[in-house]
């Protein structure tokens, strides 16, 4: 089955939304096969958001993600989990995300949008390999 990488961002951890997010994914039918709390350094966050290097918010994004406390890194498995996981998350801006989505229900700020999800099966594989050792994933 398909796998995706998801991450509760520092704001989500601080606001104690990790359980709510896992519950939504599990209730839908997706299986948690990897889970850890980590405080990523700038190098790891830079690699993760490598494709956004040219964007004006990139520096602030890397700073935020690497200096605001831990994140919760997760791998979920199941049918269509990459694309449908993104549907469940909502769009980048929480104020443009529909009610019923994670960002639509739980966030208001694009820079504090609570969760990350891989945006394709190829990025998903890369991100799982970046954040998890093979033996850390079931
Ligand atoms: P993510 O990759 O974190 O799941 P995404 O795929 O919806 O989010 P990206 O375009 O990959 O959006 O941007 C990565 C992150 O950078 C966003 O989640 C958001 O936190 C931040 N970001 C994106 N656009 C802006 C912006 N205009 N201003 C501030 N931060 C932004
Ligand atoms: Mg993205």
């Amino acid at each position: 089955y398909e796998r995706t990488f998801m991450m509760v961002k520092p704001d989500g951890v601080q606001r104690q939304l990790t359980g709510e997010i896992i519950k939504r994914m599990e209730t839908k039918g997706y299986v948690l096969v990897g889970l850890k709390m980590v405080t990523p350094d700038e190098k790891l966050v830079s690699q993760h958001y490598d494709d956004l290097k040219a964007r004006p918010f990139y520096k602030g994004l890397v700073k935020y993600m690497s200096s605001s406390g831990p994140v919760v890194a997760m791998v979920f498995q199941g049918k269509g989990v990459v694309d449908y996981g993104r549907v469940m998350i909502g769009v980048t801006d929480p104020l443009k995300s529909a009610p019923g989505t994670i960002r639509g229900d739980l966030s208001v700020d694009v820079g504090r949008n609570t969760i990350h999800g891989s945006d394709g099966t190829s990025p998903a594989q890369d991100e799982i390999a970046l954040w998890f050792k093979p033996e850390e994933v079931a």
Side-chain angles (χ1 to χ4, degrees), residues 9 49 52 57 61 86 92 103 110-111 113 115-117:
K9 297 183 180 182
Y49 282 125
L52 300 175
F57 56 82
L61 175 63
R86 295 270 295 184
T92 306
R103 287 173 178 159
V110 70
N113 60 5
I115 182 168
H116 162 80

Side-chain angles (χ1 to χ4, degrees), residues 22-31 79 84-85 88:
I22 292 174
K23 184 170 177 59
R24 287 177 182 228
M25 291 297 291
E26 289 192 326
T27 305
K28 170 67 180 172
Y30 294 130
V31 180
K79 195 173 178 182
Y84 202 79
M88 290 177 67

Side-chain angles (χ1 to χ4, degrees), residues 6-52:
M6 287 192 178
M7 167 172 53
V8 184
K9 297 183 180 182
D11 55 289
V13 175
Q14 287 164 21
R15 293 174 57 217
Q16 299 176 249
L17 296 173
T18 302
E20 166 75 22
I21 288 166
I22 292 174
K23 184 170 177 59
R24 287 177 182 228
M25 291 297 291
E26 289 192 326
T27 305
K28 170 67 180 172
Y30 294 130
V31 180
L32 189 57
V33 294
L35 175 74
K36 63 178 173 182
M37 182 174 266
V38 289
T39 303
D41 59 15
E42 286 199 24
K43 185 179 167 221
L44 177 56
V45 175
S46 305
Q47 285 176 272
H48 175 79
Y49 282 125
D50 186 54
D51 56 319
L52 300 175

Side-chain angles (χ1 to χ4, degrees), residues 44-105:
L44 177 56
V45 175
S46 305
Q47 285 176 272
H48 175 79
Y49 282 125
D50 186 54
D51 56 319
L52 300 175
K53 224 179 303 194
R55 308 294 289 275
F57 56 82
Y58 177 77
K59 257 192 108 172
L61 175 63
V62 171
K63 187 97 206 146
Y64 171 64
M65 291 293 298
S66 61
S67 65
S68 309
V71 303
V72 173
M74 304 175 290
V75 181
F76 281 99
Q77 174 174 298
K79 195 173 178 182
V81 69
V82 175
D83 285 350
Y84 202 79
R86 295 270 295 184
V87 173
M88 290 177 67
I89 286 173
V91 298
T92 306
D93 184 348
L95 295 185
K96 295 189 167 66
S97 298
T101 64
I102 293 170
R103 287 173 178 159
D105 288 346

Side-chain angles (χ1 to χ4, degrees), residues 5 34-36 73-75 128-134 136-137:
F5 175 73
L35 175 74
K36 63 178 173 182
M74 304 175 290
V75 181
I128 291 167
L130 179 64
W131 288 85
F132 286 90
K133 296 174 187 154
E136 291 174 333
V137 182

